[in-house]
Structures are given as structure tokens and as C-alpha cells.
Amino acid sequence: MADVQQATIRVLLADAHAATLAGLRMALTGVPFEVVAEAADAGAAVAAAERERPDICVLDADMPGGAVGATAEITRLLPRTGVVVLASSRDDGAMLDAVRAGAIGYLLKNMDPQRLRHTLEGVMAGEAALPRALVTRLMFEFRVREGRRRLAMSIETEGELTAREWDVLGLMAGGGSTRAMAESLGIAEVTVRRHVSGVLTKLGVSSRAAAVEALRAAEGR
């Protein structure tokens, strides 16, 4: 990413809606920002990014072609370019997908224009523009990923946990209730209970507390 002391922050904007593009352009008019390219879809955004090599790309989460794929391609081609995804509403799953693809920020479109400017300046300074709840979940996800192999080796299981079961185990470690886990994952409480049962069975334990303890032991905590 470009040095924070540079005079100008070069920005690429990508959104299928002309009115949204106009609003973003207006918000980012004036020092230290310069909008160097605009695009209406993922393919055009990637092409413009490769051509202009901006400091930051601001991508619409719902643009044609998909922001996640564009994020992955831009960060692959231009590792020093920061990608920030703008969404109409909060979607934890979509946020995680964007970050996994390489996005350094995930913001809501209704944020104050001045705050957007400050946030993008922070991105240039190396700060991640992510909701606190998402940061917490990402930290757990990376920690679990490292402990997953040790957990499988240290406990005799009937099979690998599924991705959803790992999500549930992570929320269990955070002390989430069945209702809270259901709301966080966007699934029914009965489905959460089924996943919890699967976790306990595969880990060979009889309670949620024991499952969390097994995970922490595998992580060396």
C-alpha cells in the first residue's frame, strides 16, 4: 500500500448505480483524494485497477460480477492496493468472504461522507476498516484454523467437523446462547442444536463446556 505521507490518495470507485457513484465521487472530492477511475462491474473494476494502479479501490458489494471475485483479483495483481467493500446492509457472511478475498475494509453505504474520508485515510495508514464484531470473529477463525489439526489429533473423533460446526464451536467458545448463535448465523435454533450435537459427538464430549475446553487445550491455552 502507498506511503501515508503521499500528497494524493488515488481512488477507484466501482458501483453499478450512477447515483451512488456520483455520491462517492462528491464525498471524495478534494485533497487528499483523487478519483482516478470509475467502473460499473467487477470486470471493468479489475481492468481499471490494473491500468490505473490506485491506492484504494472502493467496490460495491452487489455490483455485477461480484465484489469478492474482483477483490481477490485486484489484491493478487496489486498487493499494495487496499480494497474496501461498500454494502447496503450488514451481512456477516459477506463481510467474511470479502476479508478472506483480501479486503481491508467493509463499510456501509449510509455512513457519513466525512467519516468515509477519515476511514479511507486510516486505511492508507495501515488500519483495517472493519466492524469490531467481525474482527473478533476473524481472530477466532484464524486461531481455530491453526488449532484444528491439533484438535483432530488430540481427540478421537468420528469425522471432521463441517465448516458450519466450526462456526458453531467458535460461537460456543464466545459464550453464545442457542438463540444468539442462531441470529448470528442466520439459521433456526433447532438447526443450531443439531450442529451442537454434531460437535459434541465428533469431539467425544458430553457438554458445550467440554467442547470449548477441548478446543482451548488444542490451541495451547
Side-chain angles (χ1 to χ4, degrees):
M1 202 174 299
D3 190 273
V4 70
Q5 297 300 321
Q6 67 176 15
T8 302
I9 298 174
R10 303 175 73 252
V11 182
L12 177 151
L13 303 176
D15 197 296
H17 300 94
T20 302
L21 276 176
L24 289 171
R25 188 188 317 117
M26 184 177 297
L28 298 176
T29 295
V31 177
F33 296 99
E34 177 188 359
V35 176
V36 297
E38 297 180 9
D41 58 54
V46 172
E50 190 171 14
R51 181 181 67 251
E52 299 293 341
R53 308 181 76 82
D55 300 308
I56 298 176
C57 293
V58 180
L59 310 181
D60 171 28
D62 300 314
M63 68 180 177
V68 171
T71 296
E73 187 65 7
I74 290 170
T75 54
R76 183 186 69 81
L77 293 169
L78 304 168
R80 294 175 66 83
T81 293
V83 176
V84 174
V85 175
L86 284 185
S88 298
S89 61
R90 175 170 169 173
D91 181 330
D92 287 357
M95 283 192 285
L96 283 169
D97 288 342
V99 173
R100 289 178 184 128
I104 195 172
Y106 193 99
L107 307 172
L108 295 183
K109 290 184 177 181
N110 63 0
M111 74 183 306
D112 179 80
Q114 193 60 38
R115 185 183 170 199
L116 174 62
R117 291 175 63 90
H118 288 319
T119 300
L120 294 185
E121 288 182 89
V123 167
M124 287 304 301
E127 301 173 5
L130 300 169
R132 183 174 301 175
L134 178 62
V135 173
T136 300
R137 182 169 176 181
L138 284 170
M139 290 176 64
F140 175 80
E141 178 178 303
F142 294 142
R143 191 170 67 242
V144 167
R145 189 177 299 169
E146 293 183 359
R148 186 175 298 187
R149 181 176 61 84
R150 292 191 294 274
L151 180 60
M153 292 175 62
S154 63
I155 300 176
E156 186 176 354
T157 69
E158 295 184 5
E160 277 290 319
L161 297 186
T162 65
R164 181 61 83 192
E165 286 169 345
W166 279 111
D167 287 340
V168 168
L169 180 55
L171 294 172
M172 285 165 55
S177 65
T178 298
R179 174 176 294 182
M181 287 191 283
E183 292 177 352
S184 177
L185 298 172
I187 58 179
E189 290 185 41
V190 65
T191 305
V192 170
R193 294 191 186 95
R194 186 170 66 249
H195 288 312
V196 169
S197 178
V199 169
L200 301 187
T201 297
K202 291 179 180 180
L203 297 186
V205 296
S206 59
S207 68
R208 296 186 183 193
V212 172
E213 183 178 348
L215 174 62
R216 289 174 175 165
E219 294 173 347
R221 292 192 293 149

